[in-house]
Structures are given as structure tokens and as C-alpha cells.
Short mmCIF file of all heavy atoms in Angstrom, two decimals:
data_model
loop_
_atom_site.label_atom_id
_atom_site.label_comp_id
_atom_site.label_asym_id
_atom_site.label_seq_id
_atom_site.Cartn_x
_atom_site.Cartn_y
_atom_site.Cartn_z
N LYS A 1 0.82 -1.21 -0.01
CA LYS A 1 0.01 0.00 0.00
C LYS A 1 0.85 1.25 -0.02
O LYS A 1 0.45 2.28 -0.51
CB LYS A 1 -0.96 -0.01 1.18
CG LYS A 1 -2.03 -1.06 1.10
CD LYS A 1 -3.04 -0.96 2.21
CE LYS A 1 -4.06 -2.06 2.02
NZ LYS A 1 -5.11 -1.96 2.99
N ASP A 2 2.03 1.15 0.59
CA ASP A 2 2.98 2.31 0.62
C ASP A 2 3.32 2.68 -0.82
O ASP A 2 3.35 3.85 -1.19
CB ASP A 2 4.17 1.95 1.43
CG ASP A 2 4.98 3.13 1.89
OD1 ASP A 2 4.39 4.22 2.07
OD2 ASP A 2 6.18 2.98 2.09
N ARG A 3 3.59 1.69 -1.63
CA ARG A 3 3.94 1.90 -3.05
C ARG A 3 2.79 2.57 -3.77
O ARG A 3 3.02 3.57 -4.47
CB ARG A 3 4.26 0.54 -3.66
CG ARG A 3 4.56 0.55 -5.16
CD ARG A 3 4.83 -0.89 -5.60
NE ARG A 3 5.02 -0.98 -7.00
CZ ARG A 3 6.19 -1.01 -7.62
NH1 ARG A 3 7.32 -0.96 -6.91
NH2 ARG A 3 6.26 -1.12 -8.94
N LEU A 4 1.61 2.06 -3.57
CA LEU A 4 0.40 2.67 -4.21
C LEU A 4 0.23 4.11 -3.80
O LEU A 4 -0.22 4.96 -4.62
CB LEU A 4 -0.85 1.84 -3.90
CG LEU A 4 -0.99 0.49 -4.56
CD1 LEU A 4 -2.24 -0.19 -4.09
CD2 LEU A 4 -0.98 0.64 -6.06
N GLN A 5 0.46 4.43 -2.56
CA GLN A 5 0.28 5.79 -2.10
C GLN A 5 1.20 6.77 -2.83
O GLN A 5 0.77 7.87 -3.22
CB GLN A 5 0.50 5.89 -0.58
CG GLN A 5 0.27 7.26 -0.02
CD GLN A 5 -1.16 7.80 -0.23
OE1 GLN A 5 -2.08 7.07 -0.47
NE2 GLN A 5 -1.30 9.09 -0.16
N PHE A 6 2.43 6.38 -3.06
CA PHE A 6 3.36 7.27 -3.81
C PHE A 6 2.87 7.46 -5.26
O PHE A 6 2.96 8.52 -5.80
CB PHE A 6 4.78 6.75 -3.75
CG PHE A 6 5.49 7.08 -2.47
CD1 PHE A 6 5.56 6.17 -1.46
CD2 PHE A 6 6.05 8.34 -2.31
CE1 PHE A 6 6.20 6.49 -0.24
CE2 PHE A 6 6.68 8.67 -1.12
CZ PHE A 6 6.76 7.75 -0.09
N PHE A 7 2.34 6.38 -5.83
CA PHE A 7 1.83 6.50 -7.21
C PHE A 7 0.59 7.40 -7.26
O PHE A 7 0.35 8.14 -8.21
CB PHE A 7 1.57 5.13 -7.84
CG PHE A 7 2.81 4.31 -8.03
CD1 PHE A 7 2.74 2.92 -8.02
CD2 PHE A 7 4.07 4.88 -8.23
CE1 PHE A 7 3.88 2.13 -8.22
CE2 PHE A 7 5.22 4.13 -8.39
CZ PHE A 7 5.13 2.76 -8.39
N ARG A 8 -0.20 7.30 -6.19
CA ARG A 8 -1.39 8.19 -6.12
C ARG A 8 -0.98 9.65 -5.97
O ARG A 8 -1.59 10.55 -6.53
CB ARG A 8 -2.29 7.76 -4.96
CG ARG A 8 -3.04 6.47 -5.17
CD ARG A 8 -3.97 6.16 -4.04
NE ARG A 8 -4.60 4.86 -4.25
CZ ARG A 8 -4.37 3.79 -3.47
NH1 ARG A 8 -3.59 3.89 -2.43
NH2 ARG A 8 -4.95 2.65 -3.77
N ILE A 9 0.05 9.88 -5.20
CA ILE A 9 0.54 11.24 -5.02
C ILE A 9 1.10 11.76 -6.34
O ILE A 9 0.86 12.90 -6.75
CB ILE A 9 1.61 11.33 -3.92
CG1 ILE A 9 1.00 11.06 -2.54
CG2 ILE A 9 2.34 12.67 -3.93
CD1 ILE A 9 1.98 10.77 -1.43
N ALA A 10 1.80 10.91 -7.06
CA ALA A 10 2.34 11.27 -8.39
C ALA A 10 1.19 11.64 -9.32
O ALA A 10 1.27 12.63 -10.09
CB ALA A 10 3.17 10.14 -8.99
N ALA A 11 0.10 10.87 -9.27
CA ALA A 11 -1.06 11.15 -10.13
C ALA A 11 -1.70 12.49 -9.74
O ALA A 11 -2.13 13.27 -10.62
CB ALA A 11 -2.09 10.04 -10.02
N GLY A 12 -1.74 12.79 -8.44
CA GLY A 12 -2.25 14.08 -7.98
C GLY A 12 -1.39 15.23 -8.51
O GLY A 12 -1.89 16.26 -8.93
N SER A 13 -0.09 15.01 -8.46
CA SER A 13 0.80 16.06 -8.98
C SER A 13 0.68 16.22 -10.48
O SER A 13 0.74 17.34 -11.03
CB SER A 13 2.25 15.73 -8.62
OG SER A 13 2.46 15.79 -7.25
N ALA A 14 0.40 15.13 -11.19
CA ALA A 14 0.20 15.19 -12.64
C ALA A 14 -1.11 15.99 -12.91
O ALA A 14 -1.17 16.78 -13.84
CB ALA A 14 0.10 13.80 -13.22
N ALA A 15 -2.14 15.78 -12.08
CA ALA A 15 -3.37 16.56 -12.23
C ALA A 15 -3.07 18.03 -11.97
O ALA A 15 -3.66 18.92 -12.62
CB ALA A 15 -4.44 16.04 -11.25
N GLU A 16 -2.18 18.33 -11.07
CA GLU A 16 -1.77 19.73 -10.78
C GLU A 16 -1.06 20.33 -11.98
O GLU A 16 -1.27 21.49 -12.32
CB GLU A 16 -0.91 19.77 -9.53
CG GLU A 16 -0.57 21.17 -9.10
CD GLU A 16 0.26 21.24 -7.83
OE1 GLU A 16 0.53 20.16 -7.20
OE2 GLU A 16 0.68 22.33 -7.46
N VAL A 17 -0.23 19.54 -12.65
CA VAL A 17 0.41 20.00 -13.91
C VAL A 17 -0.66 20.37 -14.93
O VAL A 17 -0.57 21.44 -15.52
CB VAL A 17 1.36 18.91 -14.48
CG1 VAL A 17 1.80 19.26 -15.89
CG2 VAL A 17 2.56 18.71 -13.55
N ARG A 18 -1.64 19.49 -15.06
CA ARG A 18 -2.73 19.80 -16.03
C ARG A 18 -3.43 21.09 -15.66
O ARG A 18 -3.71 21.92 -16.52
CB ARG A 18 -3.72 18.59 -16.04
CG ARG A 18 -5.01 18.89 -16.74
CD ARG A 18 -5.16 18.41 -18.13
NE ARG A 18 -4.97 16.95 -18.19
CZ ARG A 18 -4.35 16.38 -19.19
NH1 ARG A 18 -3.88 17.07 -20.21
NH2 ARG A 18 -4.24 15.07 -19.19
N ALA A 19 -3.75 21.26 -14.39
CA ALA A 19 -4.48 22.48 -13.96
C ALA A 19 -3.60 23.73 -14.18
O ALA A 19 -4.14 24.75 -14.62
CB ALA A 19 -4.83 22.34 -12.46
N ALA A 20 -2.32 23.64 -13.89
CA ALA A 20 -1.44 24.81 -14.11
C ALA A 20 -1.39 25.15 -15.58
O ALA A 20 -1.41 26.35 -15.94
CB ALA A 20 -0.05 24.53 -13.59
N LEU A 21 -1.31 24.16 -16.44
CA LEU A 21 -1.37 24.42 -17.91
C LEU A 21 -2.69 25.05 -18.30
O LEU A 21 -2.70 26.00 -19.12
CB LEU A 21 -1.14 23.14 -18.69
CG LEU A 21 0.25 22.56 -18.70
CD1 LEU A 21 0.30 21.17 -19.32
CD2 LEU A 21 1.23 23.50 -19.44
N ASP A 22 -3.79 24.54 -17.73
CA ASP A 22 -5.12 25.13 -18.01
C ASP A 22 -5.18 26.62 -17.61
O ASP A 22 -5.70 27.47 -18.35
CB ASP A 22 -6.21 24.32 -17.36
CG ASP A 22 -6.42 22.96 -17.93
OD1 ASP A 22 -5.94 22.70 -19.05
OD2 ASP A 22 -7.10 22.15 -17.25
N VAL A 23 -4.66 26.91 -16.42
CA VAL A 23 -4.69 28.29 -15.91
C VAL A 23 -3.87 29.17 -16.82
O VAL A 23 -4.26 30.27 -17.24
CB VAL A 23 -4.17 28.34 -14.47
CG1 VAL A 23 -3.89 29.79 -14.03
CG2 VAL A 23 -5.18 27.68 -13.53
N ALA A 24 -2.64 28.74 -17.15
CA ALA A 24 -1.75 29.51 -17.99
C ALA A 24 -2.39 29.77 -19.36
O ALA A 24 -2.31 30.92 -19.91
CB ALA A 24 -0.40 28.83 -18.17
N ARG A 25 -3.07 28.78 -19.92
CA ARG A 25 -3.74 28.94 -21.21
C ARG A 25 -4.93 29.86 -21.09
O ARG A 25 -5.14 30.72 -21.93
CB ARG A 25 -4.16 27.56 -21.71
CG ARG A 25 -3.97 27.38 -23.18
CD ARG A 25 -4.33 26.04 -23.77
NE ARG A 25 -4.70 24.98 -22.87
CZ ARG A 25 -3.83 24.08 -22.40
NH1 ARG A 25 -2.59 24.10 -22.74
NH2 ARG A 25 -4.25 23.10 -21.58
N ALA A 26 -5.71 29.72 -20.02
CA ALA A 26 -6.89 30.57 -19.79
C ALA A 26 -6.49 32.04 -19.65
O ALA A 26 -7.26 32.93 -20.06
CB ALA A 26 -7.66 30.08 -18.58
N LEU A 27 -5.34 32.30 -19.08
CA LEU A 27 -4.85 33.64 -18.91
C LEU A 27 -4.11 34.16 -20.13
O LEU A 27 -3.62 35.28 -20.11
CB LEU A 27 -4.00 33.76 -17.66
CG LEU A 27 -4.71 33.51 -16.34
CD1 LEU A 27 -3.70 33.42 -15.20
CD2 LEU A 27 -5.75 34.58 -16.10
N GLY A 28 -4.01 33.35 -21.18
CA GLY A 28 -3.34 33.77 -22.38
C GLY A 28 -1.83 33.84 -22.25
O GLY A 28 -1.17 34.51 -23.07
N MET A 29 -1.25 33.14 -21.29
CA MET A 29 0.21 33.18 -21.08
C MET A 29 0.96 32.17 -21.91
O MET A 29 2.14 32.36 -22.20
CB MET A 29 0.51 32.93 -19.63
CG MET A 29 0.01 34.02 -18.68
SD MET A 29 0.33 33.52 -16.99
CE MET A 29 -0.53 34.79 -16.12
N VAL A 30 0.30 31.05 -22.28
CA VAL A 30 0.93 30.03 -23.12
C VAL A 30 -0.13 29.54 -24.13
O VAL A 30 -1.32 29.63 -23.88
CB VAL A 30 1.49 28.85 -22.30
CG1 VAL A 30 2.55 29.28 -21.33
CG2 VAL A 30 0.37 28.12 -21.57
N GLY A 31 0.38 28.97 -25.19
CA GLY A 31 -0.48 28.32 -26.16
C GLY A 31 -0.54 26.83 -25.86
O GLY A 31 -0.19 26.38 -24.78
N ALA A 32 -0.90 26.08 -26.89
CA ALA A 32 -0.93 24.64 -26.74
C ALA A 32 0.47 24.09 -26.55
O ALA A 32 1.45 24.68 -27.03
CB ALA A 32 -1.58 24.02 -27.99
N ALA A 33 0.56 23.03 -25.81
CA ALA A 33 1.84 22.35 -25.55
C ALA A 33 1.63 20.87 -25.88
O ALA A 33 1.57 20.05 -24.97
CB ALA A 33 2.28 22.57 -24.10
N PRO A 34 1.50 20.56 -27.17
CA PRO A 34 1.11 19.17 -27.53
C PRO A 34 2.07 18.09 -27.05
O PRO A 34 1.61 17.02 -26.62
CB PRO A 34 1.06 19.21 -29.08
CG PRO A 34 1.70 20.48 -29.51
CD PRO A 34 1.69 21.40 -28.33
N THR A 35 3.34 18.33 -27.09
CA THR A 35 4.29 17.33 -26.60
C THR A 35 4.12 17.05 -25.11
O THR A 35 4.00 15.92 -24.68
CB THR A 35 5.74 17.76 -26.88
OG1 THR A 35 5.92 17.97 -28.26
CG2 THR A 35 6.72 16.72 -26.40
N ALA A 36 4.10 18.13 -24.32
CA ALA A 36 3.89 17.96 -22.89
C ALA A 36 2.56 17.36 -22.57
O ALA A 36 2.46 16.49 -21.66
CB ALA A 36 4.06 19.33 -22.20
N GLU A 37 1.51 17.78 -23.25
CA GLU A 37 0.17 17.25 -22.96
C GLU A 37 0.05 15.79 -23.36
O GLU A 37 -0.59 15.02 -22.62
CB GLU A 37 -0.88 18.12 -23.64
CG GLU A 37 -0.93 19.51 -23.01
CD GLU A 37 -1.94 20.43 -23.64
OE1 GLU A 37 -3.01 19.97 -24.10
OE2 GLU A 37 -1.63 21.64 -23.71
N ALA A 38 0.70 15.36 -24.43
CA ALA A 38 0.66 13.98 -24.80
C ALA A 38 1.40 13.09 -23.76
O ALA A 38 0.92 12.03 -23.37
CB ALA A 38 1.31 13.77 -26.17
N GLU A 39 2.54 13.60 -23.30
CA GLU A 39 3.28 12.89 -22.24
C GLU A 39 2.47 12.87 -20.94
O GLU A 39 2.49 11.86 -20.22
CB GLU A 39 4.65 13.48 -22.02
CG GLU A 39 5.69 13.08 -23.03
CD GLU A 39 5.92 11.61 -23.14
OE1 GLU A 39 6.12 10.94 -22.07
OE2 GLU A 39 5.93 11.08 -24.24
N LEU A 40 1.81 13.95 -20.64
CA LEU A 40 1.01 14.01 -19.44
C LEU A 40 -0.11 12.99 -19.47
O LEU A 40 -0.35 12.26 -18.51
CB LEU A 40 0.42 15.42 -19.24
CG LEU A 40 -0.45 15.67 -18.04
CD1 LEU A 40 0.29 15.33 -16.75
CD2 LEU A 40 -0.94 17.10 -18.01
N ASP A 41 -0.80 12.87 -20.63
CA ASP A 41 -1.84 11.87 -20.79
C ASP A 41 -1.26 10.47 -20.62
O ASP A 41 -1.88 9.59 -19.96
CB ASP A 41 -2.52 11.98 -22.17
CG ASP A 41 -3.39 13.19 -22.32
OD1 ASP A 41 -3.79 13.78 -21.27
OD2 ASP A 41 -3.64 13.60 -23.47
N ARG A 42 -0.11 10.24 -21.16
CA ARG A 42 0.55 8.92 -21.05
C ARG A 42 0.90 8.57 -19.60
O ARG A 42 0.66 7.48 -19.15
CB ARG A 42 1.81 8.95 -21.95
CG ARG A 42 2.46 7.65 -22.10
CD ARG A 42 3.54 7.73 -23.21
NE ARG A 42 4.35 6.55 -23.14
CZ ARG A 42 5.67 6.58 -23.02
NH1 ARG A 42 6.32 7.67 -23.02
NH2 ARG A 42 6.32 5.42 -22.94
N VAL A 43 1.49 9.57 -18.88
CA VAL A 43 1.83 9.36 -17.51
C VAL A 43 0.59 9.07 -16.65
O VAL A 43 0.59 8.15 -15.85
CB VAL A 43 2.59 10.61 -16.95
CG1 VAL A 43 2.71 10.53 -15.46
CG2 VAL A 43 4.00 10.67 -17.60
N LEU A 44 -0.45 9.83 -16.88
CA LEU A 44 -1.70 9.63 -16.09
C LEU A 44 -2.29 8.26 -16.38
O LEU A 44 -2.79 7.60 -15.45
CB LEU A 44 -2.71 10.74 -16.42
CG LEU A 44 -2.43 12.07 -15.71
CD1 LEU A 44 -3.26 13.18 -16.34
CD2 LEU A 44 -2.70 11.95 -14.20
N ALA A 45 -2.27 7.80 -17.63
CA ALA A 45 -2.77 6.44 -17.96
C ALA A 45 -1.95 5.40 -17.29
O ALA A 45 -2.51 4.43 -16.72
CB ALA A 45 -2.76 6.26 -19.48
#
């Protein structure tokens, strides 16, 4: 269970990456980041 908890924390941090990208995009600070977003989807899966 200790192992699973670290992987759950990693998934939470990955969700935080997604949210930060969404905020930056919503504020017009960055455009699309297809490479990063594809890797993010892969990591989350």
C-alpha cells in the first residue's frame, strides 16, 4: 500500500500539472503544448 500511495501522489501532482497548464492557457500566457500534454496523458494512464 505504501507503493500505491506514492503513485497516487504522483497522479495528484500530474493533475496539478494539467491544472497549471489550463490556468496559463486561460490567462493567455501560453499556447498549446502538444508534446507535454501527450506525455501528461501517457503518464496519467
Side-chain angles (χ1 to χ4, degrees):
K1 291 184 181 186
D2 198 28
R3 177 181 175 97
L4 288 177
Q5 182 60 21
F6 279 98
F7 294 153
R8 287 183 186 115
I9 293 167
S13 293
E16 185 177 355
V17 168
R18 167 100 57 217
L21 287 171
D22 290 345
V23 168
R25 220 179 353 266
L27 293 173
M29 295 177 188
V30 299
T35 302
E37 291 178 36
E39 281 300 312
L40 180 58
D41 289 341
R42 188 168 167 236
V43 167
L44 282 166

